[in-house]
Amino acid sequence: MELLGRVSYGRLATSMRAMPFVAPARHIVLGRGVVLRIHRGFGYHRACNGAVVAYGADNFNSGGRAMWSVQFTGTAEIVQPADEELRLFGDEPFQADGERFEPVYMRIEPQFVTVHTLDYLSEQPNRHVA
């Protein structure tokens, strides 16, 4: 959960009418749970509410030499965060796929968590010597 607090966005995954999907989501970590903010217009919250979902985030675009990825599964529940929790999300996007962004929030209590790390040497040997 500490790693998730280092980034703001991740990917929500589940299925809707037997078709899998992955959607971008803004997240905040609250205790042992995670609250997501997604666009209501996608309609994904209807498929997720009360269902087991997967969520993942990473620091792959950080440019660092030590990268990590966190994935977890848990049951999603639509919630209305308190005002102080809403402030933690920061500004909302203006649009999502060309339409006005309308937030919906879901809380997930992670049940199964996996962390993967990729560490690179600070100096990698040149394997293409002529």
Side-chain angles (χ1 to χ4, degrees), residues 48-128:
C48 295
N49 192 37
V52 174
V53 301
Y55 188 73
D58 59 61
N59 73 338
F60 290 168
N61 66 348
S62 69
R65 302 203 68 70
M67 294 186 284
W68 53 262
S69 173
V70 175
Q71 306 86 41
F72 65 83
T73 59
T75 302
E77 174 188 5
I78 294 175
V79 296
Q80 181 55 51
D83 288 342
E84 61 273 7
E85 295 167 347
L86 289 172
R87 282 191 286 281
L88 294 173
F89 279 102
D91 293 337
E92 294 176 357
F94 180 68
Q95 291 184 333
D97 292 347
E99 64 180 55
R100 179 85 173 145
F101 183 83
E102 184 182 348
V104 64
Y105 301 90
M106 292 184 294
R107 181 174 182 85
I108 306 169
E109 295 289 333
Q111 299 299 311
F112 301 101
V113 181
T114 303
V115 177
H116 295 290
T117 60
L118 300 169
D119 295 312
Y120 289 86
L121 296 173
S122 59
E123 292 186 29
Q124 294 203 5
N126 187 347
R127 298 175 198 232
H128 303 290

Side-chain angles (χ1 to χ4, degrees), residues 1-2 4 28-35 85 88 107-110:
M1 300 314 284
E2 186 268 330
L4 282 178
I28 59 171
V29 177
L30 294 175
R32 296 194 35 81
V34 175
V35 178
E85 295 167 347
L88 294 173
R107 181 174 182 85
I108 306 169
E109 295 289 333

